[in-house]
Amino acid sequence: MILDSETKAVELPNEHGDELRLWLRLLTCTTLIEGEVRGRLRERFDVTLPRFDLMAQLDKAPEGMTLSDVSKRMMVSNGNVTGLVERLVESGHLDRRTSESDRRVQVIRLTKAGRAEFRRMAAEHETWIADIFAELTPRDVRELMRLLAKTKGSAQKSASRREA
């Protein structure tokens, strides 16, 4: 049986500080949830999580986005986005055009069919997420959101101190 990092840390608590165990717990939860979502997207829609994420970004921008803006929002390289875009253009989910203000820039957007397909996926995705968190009460969710916001702020402060 393969143990995740969190389980290993729990088995040897004296060798790991509380903050490290917290980090491993967050990482384990993220990995479990992401794996479940990836599997459901693949089984139900034959789509990858990166494709779903790209379509989600474009659904928020009906006028379209540049490849550079998409890569920043998704926190991946332009090269990664380019491959995803190529496949989604070929499948008819996206269209690509040259920017009117800068001929060197390409703007991508969901096609009508792409938007309809994404919205079907997004509706099911929302029910999957609700199912994954079904054991949490509304109060649990609010408290976890509050604590994660505090955690995010702490991580941002740490990053800004490192960059200074």
Side-chain angles (χ1 to χ4, degrees):
M1 179 172 141
I2 297 174
L3 299 178
D4 59 49
S5 297
E6 179 189 6
T7 302
K8 290 177 189 176
V10 169
E11 289 179 349
L12 302 168
N14 295 333
E15 294 183 19
H16 302 284
D18 288 341
E19 293 84 359
L20 178 59
R21 286 195 305 278
L22 173 60
W23 159 241
L24 294 172
R25 168 87 36 104
L26 289 168
L27 186 59
T28 298
C29 289
T30 299
T31 302
L32 286 168
I33 294 165
E34 184 177 315
E36 185 63 18
V37 169
R38 281 180 188 277
R40 290 183 187 200
L41 284 169
R42 188 174 39 258
E43 289 168 13
R44 179 71 178 95
F45 298 103
D46 193 28
V47 71
T48 65
L49 184 57
R51 285 186 192 185
F52 177 83
D53 289 343
L54 173 59
M55 293 172 79
Q57 291 302 320
L58 293 172
D59 187 57
K60 298 173 196 168
E63 72 286 348
M65 297 174 68
T66 66
L67 293 178
S68 179
D69 286 341
V70 170
S71 68
K72 285 177 194 166
R73 284 195 183 186
M74 292 179 66
M75 296 184 280
V76 297
S77 72
N78 280 348
N80 287 344
V81 170
T82 301
L84 290 172
V85 168
E86 292 299 325
R87 288 186 290 282
L88 287 167
V89 167
E90 289 172 12
S91 67
H93 291 93
L94 298 185
D95 71 25
R96 179 179 32 213
R97 66 186 188 286
T98 303
S99 169
E100 293 174 12
S101 60
D102 184 344
R103 307 296 292 164
R104 298 168 295 170
V105 175
Q106 301 243 323
V107 177
I108 56 172
R109 67 178 173 197
L110 288 170
T111 61
K112 186 176 179 180
R115 188 170 308 284
E117 176 72 12
F118 170 74
R119 291 198 174 159
R120 280 191 298 278
M121 288 189 285
E124 283 198 41
H125 176 267
E126 188 171 347
T127 64
W128 301 338
I129 298 302
D131 178 58
I132 290 168
F133 290 109
E135 299 298 316
L136 300 177
T137 67
R139 184 176 181 191
D140 292 338
V141 171
R142 286 190 305 275
E143 180 66 4
L144 190 52
M145 289 293 289
R146 185 188 70 76
L147 290 171
L148 288 172
K150 194 173 182 179
T151 302
K152 180 180 176 182
S154 180
Q156 288 171 327
K157 284 181 184 173
S158 177
S160 67
R161 285 192 301 269
R162 184 182 52 78
E163 292 169 359

